Amino acid sequence: MCVRNISHTFKLVPNRFVPTHEHVLKNDVTLLQDFIQSYAKLFVITGAGISTESGIPDYRSKGVGLYSQNSYQPMRIKEFLSSSQAQRRYWARSYIQWPIFSSSQPNQSHYILNDWFSKGKIHTLLTQNVDELHKKAGTLEAIELHGSVHKVHCLNCQKQMSREAFQIILDSVNIEFSPEVRDVKLRPDADIYLEEDEVSRFILPKCPSCDIGIMQPNIVFFGANVKKEKVEQIYGMIKIRISHS
């Protein structure tokens, strides 16, 4: 079954969300190179800034970040879990934006880090991003601190499935859902603005396994905590690295 094409009015624009910055000086490159070469292996942490050149905005950059352009606040875990309307709103907006967000591609920074990782220069790559661009670049071992929007699970039976598979399910029950999107800005969490009356027309199906629960993306929503076992995994890697240095 093919996913219906609902993305004809949108497109990713690389560099659109890269904040204003000064040109890199030769001395800056030398300092970075000296730092990298002074260590046998590196522990690398990346955040939203690395994906802006892939056409995905961050939240805080001056002038181009989401917070600097409007008063938008991302979905919080308490709201998602306690409100059926919030769940409908989240998935309606995600449904419209998914074809664009999921088509984003790694940029040079992702590929360079993957090259270093494959050559053993990086022993751990940790990212705060949920876009899976590190994995698309080849770094399958990247640790996703805040999870990934490319996977979803049922809040009742914990059934896991890919976001792409869930998009097909959403598509099958929302054939006539074609809202007018007035604000086409892509958001870091695969979100987009829709009017509430349009959201109310969106059909949110139950879990295809238990037919009871609502599906939730495998991400750490704002207001939620990173799972303890993941934090312990990261600290464990740091300790192993220190003990072998």
Side-chain angles (χ1 to χ4, degrees):
M1 180 176 181
C2 296
V3 177
R4 184 161 54 102
N5 181 10
I6 56 175
S7 60
H8 61 280
T9 58
F10 311 99
K11 62 179 180 178
L12 285 174
V13 183
N15 299 325
R16 176 185 175 187
F17 302 109
V18 178
T20 302
H21 57 282
E22 297 181 359
H23 291 294
V24 177
L25 301 177
K26 183 177 180 180
N27 185 57
D28 296 329
V29 176
T30 300
L31 289 172
L32 177 60
Q33 189 174 37
D34 289 344
F35 173 82
I36 292 172
Q37 292 180 344
S38 65
Y39 295 93
K41 293 181 179 292
L42 302 172
F43 185 110
V44 176
I45 303 176
T46 67
I50 197 174
S51 294
T52 56
E53 290 192 29
S54 293
I56 299 176
D58 61 17
Y59 285 108
R60 298 177 177 84
S61 289
K62 184 177 180 181
V64 294
L66 200 56
Y67 291 160
S68 70
Q69 298 185 54
N70 53 50
S71 59
Y72 167 79
Q73 292 293 318
M75 180 73 69
R76 303 186 70 83
I77 185 62
K78 183 177 181 180
E79 180 183 13
F80 185 87
L81 294 178
S82 62
S83 169
S84 59
Q85 180 61 15
Q87 293 164 357
R88 186 185 306 276
R89 184 189 318 123
Y90 176 88
W91 282 118
R93 288 151 58 149
S94 177
Y95 171 67
I96 291 297
Q97 192 61 284
W98 181 250
I100 299 302
F101 189 90
S102 61
S103 68
S104 61
Q105 296 299 315
N107 59 59
Q108 188 176 22
S109 296
H110 295 101
Y111 286 116
I112 288 174
L113 291 178
N114 178 62
D115 181 59
W116 291 357
F117 189 93
S118 65
K119 293 177 179 177
K121 184 63 178 180
I122 296 176
H123 69 81
T124 302
L125 177 56
L126 174 68
T127 183
Q128 300 179 72
N129 301 338
V130 298
D131 52 35
E132 284 200 1
L133 291 185
H134 282 298
K135 290 185 175 179
K136 283 186 178 182
T139 317
L140 301 181
E141 300 88 345
I143 300 174
E144 296 161 331
L145 184 64
H146 295 148
S148 167
V149 292
H150 288 262
K151 303 178 185 67
V152 301
H153 67 278
C154 173
L155 289 172
N156 179 61
C157 70
Q158 302 305 310
K159 164 75 174 180
Q160 298 273 342
M161 65 188 308
S162 71
R163 176 64 181 80
E164 197 64 38
F166 189 50
Q167 183 76 0
I168 293 175
I169 294 175
L170 293 176
D171 197 53
S172 67
V173 296
N174 286 283
I175 297 175
E176 298 181 0
F177 184 69
S178 297
E180 178 184 354
V181 181
R182 297 164 188 167
D183 181 358
V184 299
K185 293 185 180 70
L186 178 67
R187 291 169 175 173
D189 49 0
D191 191 11
I192 196 169
Y193 179 76
L194 292 178
E195 297 287 350
E196 284 299 309
D197 62 329
E198 293 171 329
V199 170
S200 65
R201 294 189 290 105
F202 181 77
I203 298 173
L204 179 58
K206 301 292 186 180
C207 168
S209 181
C210 68
D211 198 31
I212 297 175
I214 293 296
M215 305 305 285
Q216 175 183 320
N218 288 14
I219 63 173
V220 179
F221 276 103
F222 278 74
N225 297 316
V226 177
K227 290 184 178 180
K228 182 179 179 181
E229 53 266 31
K230 180 167 288 189
V231 175
E232 291 176 344
Q233 175 193 10
I234 295 168
Y235 275 119
M237 289 181 171
I238 296 174
K239 289 179 180 178
I240 291 174
R241 177 62 197 133
I242 293 176
S243 66
H244 286 81
S245 60

